[in-house]
Amino acid sequence: STIQDKNIVKSGKCPKCASSDVLRIGHRNLESADFGNLLIEDYICLNCGYVESFSDDYIMIKVQRSQRKKKNE
């Protein structure tokens, strides 16, 4: 199984109980000293109560981290 199989956002199913009865319950901004504001989306499985948070900002973080490593080399 892949990470997508275990992720509510990508698969549309709960990784704990496999229910497709999941709901996006909101989003919030998380302020990071290193990366600025990150948008976090929260999801809940309405079958078992499993909660997951997800952010597309991980791509931006990976790029910034890579650039920092290159500067430090």
Side-chain angles (χ1 to χ4, degrees), residues 5-8 11 13-19 22 45 50 52:
D5 297 334
K6 298 176 182 177
N7 182 301
I8 287 178
S11 72
K13 291 187 177 183
C14 175
K16 184 175 177 184
C17 73
S19 172
V22 296
C45 173
Y50 175 82
E52 181 174 285

Side-chain angles (χ1 to χ4, degrees), residues 15-33:
K16 184 175 177 184
C17 73
S19 172
S20 59
D21 196 7
V22 296
L23 179 67
R24 180 174 176 248
I25 54 175
H27 65 274
R28 56 197 156 92
N29 285 311
L30 178 67
E31 190 170 330
S32 165

Side-chain angles (χ1 to χ4, degrees), residues 19-64:
S19 172
S20 59
D21 196 7
V22 296
L23 179 67
R24 180 174 176 248
I25 54 175
H27 65 274
R28 56 197 156 92
N29 285 311
L30 178 67
E31 190 170 330
S32 165
D34 292 328
F35 302 107
N37 279 340
L38 306 174
L39 179 63
I40 307 294
E41 296 179 0
D42 298 312
Y43 295 82
I44 188 168
C45 173
L46 299 176
N47 186 58
C48 72
Y50 175 82
V51 175
E52 181 174 285
S53 297
F54 180 80
S55 178
D56 277 331
D57 291 334
Y58 73 94
I59 297 167
M60 180 260 314
I61 291 171
K62 286 174 72 171
V63 169
Q64 288 180 1

